[in-house]
Amino acid sequence: MTHTNKLIHSTSPYLLQHAHNPVNWNEWSDEIIDRAKKENKLILVSIGYAACHWCHVMEHESFEDAAVAQVMNDNYVCIKVDREERPDVDHYYMSAVQLMGQQGGWPLNVIALPDGKPIWGGTYFPKETWMKNLQTVAGVYKQNEEKTTEYGNQLHEGIEQVSLIAEAEDKLPLNAKLLERGVESWKKRWDMKEGGNNGFPKFPMPVNLEFLLYYGFIKNDNKALEFVHTTLEKMARGGIYDQVAGGFARYSVDGIWKVPHFEKMLYDNGQLLSIYSKGYQQFKNEEFKRVVYETATFLERELMDASGAFYSSLDADSEGVEGKFYVWNDYELMKLVGADYKLFADYFSVNKNALWEHGNNILLRDFSDEEFAAKNNLSLHQLQIKVSKWSFLLLQEREKRIRPGLDDKTLTSWNALTIQGLLDAYKAFKDEHFLLLAIKNATFIKENQLLENGKLFHNWKAGTRSIDGFLEDYALLIQAYISMFEITGDDAWLALASKITDYTILHFYDEVSGLFYFSEKVSQSVLSNHFQKEDNVIPAANSVMANNLFRLYLINGISDYKTMIEKMLHHITPHFSRYPMAYANWGTLMLKQTEPYFEVAVCGINSNILLNKLQLAYQPNILWAHANSESTIPLLENRFQIGDDLIYICREGVCQLPLTSPEEALLLLKKK
């Protein structure tokens, strides 16, 4: 290769993809900003991620082109950013582009002053448009440096204003009616036929589904439960789900979950393990169980490192073509499946609903297995044997194809979501393999990403950890480690969760607002720090932290945590009724405070056996703790009695007389 730039030293697969561009790319650093200041040279920041299709398109059209590279190198200090490694940089420049009135997306391309303050930006640009814009902005800066600098300073102030809010503007009291108003207004957006929100594109949005399942369960809201069931069912049958190998793509470009944007992200699949496991507990739908097992198998087979770490994603493209790895034409299917082809084609809707572009099919299903078996005079068992055989044949054939690119970095936050997903799968199905995978990954994070004082790193690649942890890393790992304690009864996980919480409060908490910063308070950067309050494809870091504080308050009896939660909610209650979809994980916390919520402490030599019996049903309004010996944890302290297996049902530390029968305990919980 003719060109090699400084990205060759990066650990990010996305940055390495650009290491041989003729553009003089640099990684984001304080040093590179200082260099731009000294040279009084504009900065060009280009942000994307390894699995991003349009990022690849723009690289091929523009960044690999020598003429384009010359314009970039002559006029700019060029910086490439992996948005998954640096969510702080991505947030800052995404906020800038949106304040400019542009639509956000990736690749995100921003031109900034030498000090990093943005002055112009957008997403994907065709080659000629890109070159013209680069030359125009560079020219404007040379001719009007003072005015351009003034504009950049004003825009930076605007970003700080939207990113940081010192005081809650309206302390609206929390009550059940607030939640009900929010959900009632939200219902107008639901697609009750296909699931998800009305229209397209459709994103899985597991945070929203988790809240609505809890809400439907606790409020006996059948429409909410029906919406969640329909969404889970339609996604599982659609092209967004890999019918051959398991695992979900990031979203579908249409309104029927058919045509995915083919990249597979760890954060989606980790969370979808959780919601499908809980969906199975609530609805007893065997399709949901199948999805959990297939998705977990996909994660272990294709995204798991031997160390126990999970990689980040699989690309949408292979051989430069989006989706090529995943689609099938009828000729190759006929050849593979043989005598069963007609039945196979009917099952996966080949040449009917599954037909896509250029004679290719994105396999999907239109019926449940029960309906399809009855329609074709097969027993359910006979059909399942056939489907397993077909999937095996197709998976074998697909392995011969050129695979999509793998983003093999490990992110603490996304791994924590996957630990939680595996634990929820274990809770639903009591399959030890799910628990062993969760323990292996949780142990990997503990040994590789966590320092003795509770400090975390965000990124790991090939034995090297890098980048100081962000609030999402701390919050999601605390959540996962509390759940590890709930499931295993091993108080070492709770001790780790408590230690990380102490570090987070010390280094991220803002006393004035009562919220946690996204980056550590001492972080010195041109970037504005911010309070992440709104949920998106993963829950807002502050909402996760608030839920963690609630659980730790109940387990350890730390009353200060309850005060902190109340202060955090002051920022949310004024907005929930109007925008519940942006605050769903906060809604989960509010349900815990406005509806019956219990701590169930199980103590005795057989506590684990009792716990397994208690946990089979969907019970989102219970915090679990168990011990098979004496414990100093406040929720369990002085509850163990030699020779007895006892179940304590408590509310905020006040417990009823212990029970000995799981059936009796479940009956009492249902009556509450």
Side-chain angles (χ1 to χ4, degrees):
M1 295 182 181
T2 312
H3 305 280
T4 301
N5 58 52
K6 291 179 181 176
L7 299 186
I8 197 67
H9 304 296
S10 173
T11 58
S12 160
Y14 175 66
L15 299 188
L16 288 169
Q17 287 170 5
H18 296 77
H20 295 289
N21 295 166
V23 178
N24 295 331
W25 290 119
N26 300 273
E27 288 194 63
W28 178 272
S29 68
D30 291 339
E31 291 74 22
I32 203 65
I33 303 293
D34 289 340
R35 192 188 106 192
K37 287 180 191 171
K38 283 174 189 169
E39 295 177 7
N40 192 28
K41 201 170 183 181
L42 290 175
I43 293 170
L44 192 151
V45 184
S46 183
I47 305 172
Y49 57 102
C52 166
H53 172 69
W54 286 102
C55 300
H56 302 329
V57 173
M58 191 161 178
E59 180 193 12
H60 179 65
E61 289 179 352
S62 295
F63 304 149
E64 292 176 355
D65 185 281
V68 177
Q70 186 170 351
V71 173
M72 294 171 68
N73 295 335
D74 288 349
N75 294 283
Y76 300 95
V77 172
C78 300
I79 301 176
K80 251 292 164 202
V81 177
D82 181 336
R83 68 173 291 257
E84 296 164 357
E85 279 195 346
R86 295 301 304 254
D88 55 337
V89 178
D90 181 58
H91 175 271
Y92 178 74
Y93 288 112
M94 183 67 75
S95 299
V97 167
Q98 289 169 340
L99 280 174
M100 292 173 199
Q102 305 291 318
Q103 189 170 354
W106 298 277
L108 184 69
N109 293 291
V110 177
I111 294 174
L113 296 169
D115 62 4
K117 293 172 184 169
I119 56 172
W120 177 91
T123 54
Y124 163 78
F125 295 94
K127 174 182 167 181
E128 298 304 325
T129 308
W130 178 240
M131 286 183 75
K132 185 179 176 184
N133 287 334
L134 292 176
Q135 290 162 333
T136 301
V137 177
V140 168
Y141 180 67
K142 283 171 187 168
Q143 292 164 22
N144 299 285
E145 184 176 334
E146 194 176 323
K147 267 193 173 180
T148 312
T149 302
E150 187 183 334
Y151 172 71
N153 289 334
Q154 288 172 350
L155 188 58
H156 176 76
E157 286 174 18
I159 297 168
E160 290 203 316
Q161 285 171 14
V162 298
S163 297
L164 298 170
I165 301 163
E167 293 284 351
E169 62 270 31
D170 182 12
K171 294 177 183 177
L172 194 66
L174 169 62
N175 56 53
K177 290 291 180 191
L178 181 86
L179 287 158
E180 288 164 15
R181 285 197 302 273
V183 174
E184 286 307 308
S185 68
W186 195 355
K187 286 178 180 178
K188 297 167 191 167
R189 297 172 179 262
W190 296 351
D191 182 342
M192 296 302 295
K193 181 168 178 273
E194 298 295 338
N197 282 345
N198 288 317
F200 63 92
K202 283 192 189 294
F203 287 80
M205 302 305 290
V207 186
N208 291 349
L209 295 173
E210 288 257 4
F211 165 71
L212 290 171
L213 182 61
Y214 186 172
Y215 183 89
F217 168 87
I218 206 78
K219 305 287 273 187
N220 294 313
D221 188 321
N222 290 327
K223 186 170 183 181
L225 291 174
E226 181 192 347
F227 172 71
V228 173
H229 185 273
T230 298
T231 302
L232 294 178
E233 191 173 78
K234 293 289 187 175
M235 286 197 304
R237 295 178 186 177
I240 192 174
Y241 183 66
D242 186 344
Q243 303 292 335
V244 172
F248 289 84
R250 195 162 72 93
Y251 67 93
S252 75
V253 301
D254 51 55
I256 57 172
W257 307 106
K258 174 182 174 178
V259 181
H261 207 39
F262 286 89
E263 67 255 45
K264 288 179 172 180
M265 315 300 293
L266 179 65
Y267 64 76
D268 281 321
N269 286 284
Q271 290 179 98
L272 288 163
L273 279 180
S274 287
I275 187 59
Y276 273 94
S277 297
K278 293 173 183 177
Y280 175 80
Q281 288 180 302
Q282 173 64 23
F283 302 114
K284 304 303 179 198
N285 185 323
E286 288 295 321
E287 282 189 69
F288 299 171
K289 181 177 181 178
R290 175 173 150 187
V291 164
V292 171
Y293 273 82
E294 289 177 350
T295 299
T297 300
F298 153 71
L299 289 173
E300 188 177 4
R301 182 183 61 242
E302 299 189 39
L303 289 182
M304 194 172 194
D305 184 79
S307 65
F310 284 103
Y311 302 136
S312 294
S313 66
L314 285 173
D315 207 327
D317 297 7
S318 51
E319 300 181 74
V321 179
E322 187 180 12
K324 186 172 182 178
F325 186 72
Y326 298 101
V327 298
W328 306 86
N329 64 54
D330 56 347
Y331 172 75
E332 58 186 339
L333 291 171
M334 205 178 299
K335 191 176 164 187
L336 276 171
V337 178
D340 262 350
Y341 176 71
K342 189 173 183 301
L343 189 69
F344 170 95
D346 194 21
Y347 184 80
F348 286 116
S349 202
V350 175
N351 285 338
K352 291 179 280 188
N353 292 345
L355 191 61
W356 185 42
E357 298 172 343
H358 312 300
N360 288 315
N361 290 271
I362 300 168
L363 301 186
L364 48 82
R365 297 179 294 118
D366 292 327
F367 308 100
S368 69
D369 280 2
E370 290 81 1
E371 290 167 327
F372 189 84
K375 174 186 160 191
N376 290 278
N377 298 314
L378 294 166
S379 72
L380 184 60
H381 183 61
Q382 286 173 317
L383 175 63
Q384 287 170 342
I385 289 172
K386 286 183 181 290
V387 172
S388 295
K389 181 184 173 186
W390 297 337
S391 296
F392 178 73
L393 287 170
L394 267 63
L395 189 57
Q396 274 193 315
E397 183 65 22
R398 206 165 75 177
E399 286 302 310
K400 299 172 187 174
R401 297 175 175 179
I402 294 173
R403 295 186 59 80
L406 170 68
D407 186 331
D408 61 351
K409 69 176 180 288
T410 290
L411 300 177
T412 299
S413 52
W414 297 7
N415 276 249
L417 286 169
T418 308
I419 295 168
Q420 185 64 53
L422 290 165
L423 292 174
D424 287 329
Y426 173 73
K427 194 187 287 187
F429 305 111
K430 300 307 173 192
D431 186 326
E432 288 288 327
H433 189 62
F434 294 135
L435 181 57
L436 290 174
L437 287 175
I439 291 171
K440 188 175 183 181
N441 188 243
T443 303
F444 166 83
I445 297 293
K446 178 186 77 170
E447 292 176 351
N448 293 277
Q449 298 293 81
L450 179 63
L451 297 183
E452 185 60 34
N453 66 350
K455 180 182 174 65
L456 278 169
F457 288 89
H458 178 62
N459 186 57
W460 182 89
K461 169 85 180 288
T464 301
R465 61 190 178 198
S466 61
I467 306 173
D468 288 347
F470 301 103
L471 183 62
E472 66 177 37
D473 299 300
Y474 289 86
L476 290 167
L477 190 64
I478 293 164
Q479 173 182 268
Y481 280 0
I482 297 170
S483 296
M484 287 289 294
F485 163 71
E486 283 191 85
I487 293 290
T488 66
D490 184 347
D491 57 11
W493 296 113
L494 180 64
L496 283 173
S498 299
K499 178 190 283 189
I500 301 166
T501 300
D502 290 343
Y503 185 94
T504 310
I505 292 170
L506 183 62
H507 293 277
F508 289 81
Y509 187 63
D510 175 52
E511 293 279 355
V512 176
S513 66
L515 294 170
F516 291 82
Y517 287 107
F518 189 74
S519 301
E520 286 199 35
K521 289 183 282 189
V522 295
S523 177
Q524 297 296 317
S525 172
V526 65
L527 307 176
S528 295
N529 212 338
H530 69 285
F531 300 125
Q532 191 187 64
K533 304 187 300 297
E534 295 186 4
D535 301 321
N536 204 300
V537 291
I538 66 174
N542 267 289
S543 73
V544 180
M545 205 60 218
N547 275 280
N548 291 339
L549 292 172
F550 184 72
R551 292 166 83 190
L552 290 170
Y553 155 65
L554 295 176
I555 296 168
N556 290 327
I558 303 172
S559 57
D560 284 353
Y561 288 178
K562 189 176 183 185
T563 306
M564 290 169 73
I565 293 162
E566 289 167 359
K567 194 169 182 181
M568 294 174 86
L569 281 171
H570 289 159
H571 294 274
I572 306 307
T573 49
H575 306 292
F576 184 85
S577 294
R578 286 171 291 164
Y579 308 109
M581 67 293 299
Y583 301 101
N585 200 44
W586 294 101
T588 296
L589 175 64
M590 291 189 272
L591 282 172
K592 292 172 184 175
Q593 296 186 289
T594 57
E595 301 294 333
Y597 192 85
F598 306 97
E599 308 102 70
V600 174
V602 185
C603 297
I605 198 71
N606 298 305
S607 64
N608 195 46
I609 296 168
L610 264 65
L611 196 73
N612 285 346
K613 290 179 181 177
L614 288 164
Q615 287 182 335
L616 284 172
Y618 176 62
Q619 296 162 108
N621 59 332
I622 296 175
L623 176 106
W624 304 95
H626 68 107
N628 55 17
S629 61
E630 282 288 353
S631 174
T632 57
I633 293 165
L635 180 56
L636 296 167
E637 196 169 16
N638 300 323
R639 303 203 192 283
F640 180 82
Q641 294 180 29
I642 296 171
D644 290 325
D645 293 316
L646 302 173
I647 303 165
Y648 295 86
I649 297 173
C650 318
R651 292 191 69 174
E652 295 199 45
V654 179
C655 303
Q656 298 192 4
L657 290 173
L659 303 168
T660 56
S661 159
E663 293 75 20
E664 193 179 355
L666 288 170
L667 196 62
L668 188 60
L669 286 164
K670 278 182 185 175
K671 286 179 180 176
K672 296 287 180 182

CSV table of all heavy atoms in Angstrom, one decimal, residues 29-61:
chain,number,residue,atom,x,y,z
A,29,SER,N,-6.7,13.6,20.4
A,29,SER,CA,-5.8,13.8,21.6
A,29,SER,C,-5.7,15.3,21.9
A,29,SER,O,-5.8,16.1,21.0
A,29,SER,CB,-4.5,13.2,21.4
A,29,SER,OG,-3.7,13.9,20.4
A,30,ASP,N,-5.3,15.6,23.1
A,30,ASP,CA,-5.0,17.0,23.5
A,30,ASP,C,-3.8,17.5,22.7
A,30,ASP,O,-3.8,18.7,22.3
A,30,ASP,CB,-4.7,17.1,25.0
A,30,ASP,CG,-5.9,16.9,25.8
A,30,ASP,OD1,-7.1,17.0,25.3
A,30,ASP,OD2,-5.8,16.5,27.0
A,31,GLU,N,-2.9,16.6,22.4
A,31,GLU,CA,-1.7,17.0,21.7
A,31,GLU,C,-2.0,17.5,20.2
A,31,GLU,O,-1.4,18.5,19.7
A,31,GLU,CB,-0.6,15.9,21.6
A,31,GLU,CG,0.0,15.5,22.9
A,31,GLU,CD,-1.0,14.7,23.9
A,31,GLU,OE1,-1.9,14.1,23.4
A,31,GLU,OE2,-0.7,14.8,25.1
A,32,ILE,N,-2.9,16.8,19.6
A,32,ILE,CA,-3.2,17.2,18.2
A,32,ILE,C,-4.0,18.5,18.2
A,32,ILE,O,-3.8,19.3,17.2
A,32,ILE,CB,-4.0,16.0,17.5
A,32,ILE,CG1,-3.8,16.2,16.0
A,32,ILE,CG2,-5.5,16.0,17.8
A,32,ILE,CD1,-2.4,16.0,15.5
A,33,ILE,N,-4.8,18.8,19.2
A,33,ILE,CA,-5.5,20.1,19.3
A,33,ILE,C,-4.4,21.2,19.5
A,33,ILE,O,-4.5,22.2,18.9
A,33,ILE,CB,-6.5,20.1,20.5
A,33,ILE,CG1,-7.5,19.0,20.3
A,33,ILE,CG2,-7.2,21.5,20.5
A,33,ILE,CD1,-8.5,19.1,19.2
A,34,ASP,N,-3.4,20.9,20.4
A,34,ASP,CA,-2.3,21.9,20.6
A,34,ASP,C,-1.6,22.2,19.3
A,34,ASP,O,-1.2,23.3,19.0
A,34,ASP,CB,-1.4,21.4,21.7
A,34,ASP,CG,-2.0,21.4,23.0
A,34,ASP,OD1,-3.0,22.1,23.2
A,34,ASP,OD2,-1.5,20.6,23.9
A,35,ARG,N,-1.4,21.1,18.5
A,35,ARG,CA,-0.6,21.3,17.2
A,35,ARG,C,-1.4,22.2,16.3
A,35,ARG,O,-0.9,23.1,15.6
A,35,ARG,CB,-0.4,19.9,16.6
A,35,ARG,CG,0.6,20.0,15.4
A,35,ARG,CD,0.6,18.7,14.6
A,35,ARG,NE,-0.1,18.8,13.4
A,35,ARG,CZ,-0.4,17.8,12.6
A,35,ARG,NH1,-0.2,16.5,13.0
A,35,ARG,NH2,-1.0,17.9,11.5
A,36,ALA,N,-2.7,22.0,16.2
A,36,ALA,CA,-3.6,22.8,15.3
A,36,ALA,C,-3.6,24.3,15.8
A,36,ALA,O,-3.5,25.2,14.9
A,36,ALA,CB,-5.0,22.3,15.4
A,37,LYS,N,-3.6,24.5,17.1
A,37,LYS,CA,-3.5,25.9,17.6
A,37,LYS,C,-2.2,26.5,17.2
A,37,LYS,O,-2.2,27.7,16.7
A,37,LYS,CB,-3.6,25.9,19.1
A,37,LYS,CG,-5.0,25.6,19.7
A,37,LYS,CD,-4.9,25.6,21.2
A,37,LYS,CE,-6.1,25.1,21.9
A,37,LYS,NZ,-5.9,24.9,23.3
A,38,LYS,N,-1.1,25.8,17.3
A,38,LYS,CA,0.2,26.3,17.0
A,38,LYS,C,0.3,26.7,15.5
A,38,LYS,O,0.9,27.7,15.1
A,38,LYS,CB,1.4,25.4,17.4
A,38,LYS,CG,1.7,25.3,18.9
A,38,LYS,CD,2.7,24.2,19.2
A,38,LYS,CE,2.8,24.1,20.7
A,38,LYS,NZ,3.5,22.8,21.1
A,39,GLU,N,-0.3,25.8,14.7
A,39,GLU,CA,-0.2,26.0,13.2
A,39,GLU,C,-1.4,27.0,12.7
A,39,GLU,O,-1.4,27.3,11.6
A,39,GLU,CB,-0.3,24.7,12.5
A,39,GLU,CG,0.9,23.8,12.8
A,39,GLU,CD,0.7,22.4,12.1
A,39,GLU,OE1,-0.3,22.2,11.3
A,39,GLU,OE2,1.6,21.5,12.3
A,40,ASN,N,-2.3,27.3,13.7
A,40,ASN,CA,-3.5,28.1,13.3
A,40,ASN,C,-4.2,27.5,12.1
A,40,ASN,O,-4.5,28.1,11.1
A,40,ASN,CB,-3.1,29.6,13.0
A,40,ASN,CG,-4.4,30.4,12.9
A,40,ASN,OD1,-5.4,30.1,13.6
A,40,ASN,ND2,-4.4,31.5,12.2
A,41,LYS,N,-4.4,26.1,12.2
A,41,LYS,CA,-5.0,25.4,11.1
A,41,LYS,C,-6.3,24.8,11.6
A,41,LYS,O,-6.5,24.3,12.7
A,41,LYS,CB,-4.0,24.3,10.7
A,41,LYS,CG,-4.2,23.7,9.3
A,41,LYS,CD,-3.0,22.8,9.0
A,41,LYS,CE,-3.2,22.2,7.6
A,41,LYS,NZ,-2.1,21.3,7.2
A,42,LEU,N,-7.3,24.9,10.7
A,42,LEU,CA,-8.6,24.3,11.0
A,42,LEU,C,-8.5,22.8,11.2
A,42,LEU,O,-7.6,22.2,10.7
A,42,LEU,CB,-9.6,24.6,9.9
A,42,LEU,CG,-10.1,26.0,9.7
A,42,LEU,CD1,-11.0,26.1,8.5
A,42,LEU,CD2,-10.9,26.5,10.9
A,43,ILE,N,-9.4,22.3,12.0
A,43,ILE,CA,-9.5,20.9,12.3
A,43,ILE,C,-10.6,20.3,11.6
A,43,ILE,O,-11.7,20.8,11.5
A,43,ILE,CB,-9.6,20.6,13.8
A,43,ILE,CG1,-8.3,21.1,14.6
A,43,ILE,CG2,-9.9,19.2,14.1
A,43,ILE,CD1,-8.5,21.1,16.1
A,44,LEU,N,-10.4,19.1,11.0
A,44,LEU,CA,-11.5,18.3,10.4
A,44,LEU,C,-11.7,17.0,11.2
A,44,LEU,O,-10.8,16.2,11.3
A,44,LEU,CB,-11.2,18.0,9.0
A,44,LEU,CG,-12.4,17.4,8.2
A,44,LEU,CD1,-12.3,17.7,6.7
A,44,LEU,CD2,-12.5,15.9,8.3
A,45,VAL,N,-12.8,16.9,11.9
A,45,VAL,CA,-13.1,15.7,12.7
A,45,VAL,C,-14.1,14.9,11.9
A,45,VAL,O,-15.2,15.3,11.6
A,45,VAL,CB,-13.7,16.1,14.1
A,45,VAL,CG1,-13.9,14.9,14.9
A,45,VAL,CG2,-12.8,17.1,14.8
A,46,SER,N,-13.7,13.6,11.7
A,46,SER,CA,-14.6,12.7,11.0
A,46,SER,C,-14.9,11.5,11.9
A,46,SER,O,-14.0,10.8,12.3
A,46,SER,CB,-14.0,12.2,9.7
A,46,SER,OG,-14.9,11.4,9.0
A,47,ILE,N,-16.2,11.3,12.2
A,47,ILE,CA,-16.5,10.3,13.2
A,47,ILE,C,-17.4,9.2,12.6
A,47,ILE,O,-18.3,9.5,11.9
A,47,ILE,CB,-17.3,11.0,14.4
A,47,ILE,CG1,-16.5,12.1,15.0
A,47,ILE,CG2,-17.7,10.0,15.5
A,47,ILE,CD1,-17.3,13.0,15.9
A,48,GLY,N,-17.1,7.9,13.0
A,48,GLY,CA,-17.9,6.8,12.5
A,48,GLY,C,-17.6,5.6,13.4
A,48,GLY,O,-17.2,5.7,14.5
A,49,TYR,N,-18.0,4.4,12.8
A,49,TYR,CA,-17.7,3.2,13.6
A,49,TYR,C,-17.6,2.1,12.6
A,49,TYR,O,-17.9,2.2,11.4
A,49,TYR,CB,-18.9,2.9,14.6
A,49,TYR,CG,-20.2,2.8,14.0
A,49,TYR,CD1,-20.8,1.6,13.7
A,49,TYR,CD2,-21.0,3.9,13.7
A,49,TYR,CE1,-22.1,1.5,13.2
A,49,TYR,CE2,-22.3,3.9,13.2
A,49,TYR,CZ,-22.8,2.6,12.9
A,49,TYR,OH,-24.1,2.5,12.4
A,50,ALA,N,-17.0,0.9,13.0
A,50,ALA,CA,-16.5,-0.1,12.1
A,50,ALA,C,-17.6,-0.7,11.3
A,50,ALA,O,-17.4,-1.1,10.1
A,50,ALA,CB,-15.7,-1.2,12.8
A,51,ALA,N,-18.8,-0.8,11.8
A,51,ALA,CA,-19.9,-1.5,11.1
A,51,ALA,C,-20.8,-0.6,10.3
A,51,ALA,O,-21.8,-1.0,9.8
A,51,ALA,CB,-20.8,-2.3,12.2
A,52,CYS,N,-20.4,0.6,10.1
A,52,CYS,CA,-21.2,1.7,9.5
A,52,CYS,C,-21.1,1.6,8.0
A,52,CYS,O,-20.0,1.9,7.4
A,52,CYS,CB,-20.8,3.0,10.0
A,52,CYS,SG,-21.4,4.5,9.1
A,53,HIS,N,-22.2,1.3,7.3
A,53,HIS,CA,-22.2,1.2,5.8
A,53,HIS,C,-21.8,2.5,5.1
A,53,HIS,O,-20.9,2.5,4.2
A,53,HIS,CB,-23.5,0.7,5.3
A,53,HIS,CG,-23.7,0.8,3.8
A,53,HIS,ND1,-23.0,-0.1,3.0
A,53,HIS,CD2,-24.4,1.6,3.0
A,53,HIS,CE1,-23.3,0.1,1.7
A,53,HIS,NE2,-24.2,1.1,1.7
A,54,TRP,N,-22.4,3.6,5.5
A,54,TRP,CA,-22.1,4.9,4.8
A,54,TRP,C,-20.8,5.5,5.1
A,54,TRP,O,-20.2,6.2,4.4
A,54,TRP,CB,-23.3,5.9,5.1
A,54,TRP,CG,-24.5,5.5,4.3
A,54,TRP,CD1,-25.6,4.9,4.8
A,54,TRP,CD2,-24.7,5.7,2.9
A,54,TRP,NE1,-26.5,4.7,3.8
A,54,TRP,CE2,-26.0,5.1,2.6
A,54,TRP,CE3,-23.9,6.2,1.8
A,54,TRP,CZ2,-26.5,5.1,1.3
A,54,TRP,CZ3,-24.5,6.2,0.6
A,54,TRP,CH2,-25.7,5.7,0.3
A,55,CYS,N,-20.2,5.0,6.3
A,55,CYS,CA,-18.8,5.4,6.6
A,55,CYS,C,-17.9,4.7,5.5
A,55,CYS,O,-17.0,5.4,5.0
A,55,CYS,CB,-18.4,4.9,8.0
A,55,CYS,SG,-19.4,5.6,9.3
A,56,HIS,N,-18.2,3.5,5.2
A,56,HIS,CA,-17.4,2.8,4.2
A,56,HIS,C,-17.5,3.5,2.8
A,56,HIS,O,-16.5,3.6,2.1
A,56,HIS,CB,-17.8,1.3,4.1
A,56,HIS,CG,-17.7,0.6,5.3
A,56,HIS,ND1,-16.8,0.8,6.3
A,56,HIS,CD2,-18.4,-0.5,5.8
A,56,HIS,CE1,-16.9,0.0,7.3
A,56,HIS,NE2,-17.9,-0.8,7.0
A,57,VAL,N,-18.7,3.9,2.5
A,57,VAL,CA,-19.0,4.5,1.2
A,57,VAL,C,-18.2,5.8,1.1
A,57,VAL,O,-17.5,6.0,0.1
A,57,VAL,CB,-20.5,4.8,1.0
A,57,VAL,CG1,-20.7,5.6,-0.3
A,57,VAL,CG2,-21.3,3.5,0.9
A,58,MET,N,-18.2,6.6,2.1
A,58,MET,CA,-17.5,7.9,2.1
A,58,MET,C,-16.0,7.7,2.0
A,58,MET,O,-15.3,8.4,1.4
A,58,MET,CB,-17.9,8.8,3.2
A,58,MET,CG,-17.4,10.2,3.0
A,58,MET,SD,-18.3,11.4,4.0
A,58,MET,CE,-17.4,12.9,3.5
A,59,GLU,N,-15.5,6.7,2.7
A,59,GLU,CA,-14.1,6.4,2.7
A,59,GLU,C,-13.7,6.0,1.3
A,59,GLU,O,-12.7,6.6,0.8
A,59,GLU,CB,-13.7,5.2,3.6
A,59,GLU,CG,-12.2,4.9,3.6
A,59,GLU,CD,-11.9,3.6,4.2
A,59,GLU,OE1,-12.7,2.8,4.5
A,59,GLU,OE2,-10.6,3.4,4.4
A,60,HIS,N,-14.4,5.1,0.7
A,60,HIS,CA,-14.1,4.7,-0.7
A,60,HIS,C,-14.1,5.9,-1.7
A,60,HIS,O,-13.2,6.0,-2.5
A,60,HIS,CB,-15.0,3.6,-1.1
A,60,HIS,CG,-14.7,3.1,-2.5
A,60,HIS,ND1,-13.5,2.4,-2.8
A,60,HIS,CD2,-15.5,3.1,-3.6
A,60,HIS,CE1,-13.6,2.1,-4.1
A,60,HIS,NE2,-14.7,2.5,-4.6
A,61,GLU,N,-15.2,6.7,-1.6
A,61,GLU,CA,-15.4,7.7,-2.6
A,61,GLU,C,-14.4,8.9,-2.4
A,61,GLU,O,-13.9,9.5,-3.3
A,61,GLU,CB,-16.8,8.3,-2.5
A,61,GLU,CG,-17.9,7.4,-3.0
A,61,GLU,CD,-19.3,7.9,-2.9
A,61,GLU,OE1,-19.4,9.0,-2.2
A,61,GLU,OE2,-20.2,7.3,-3.4
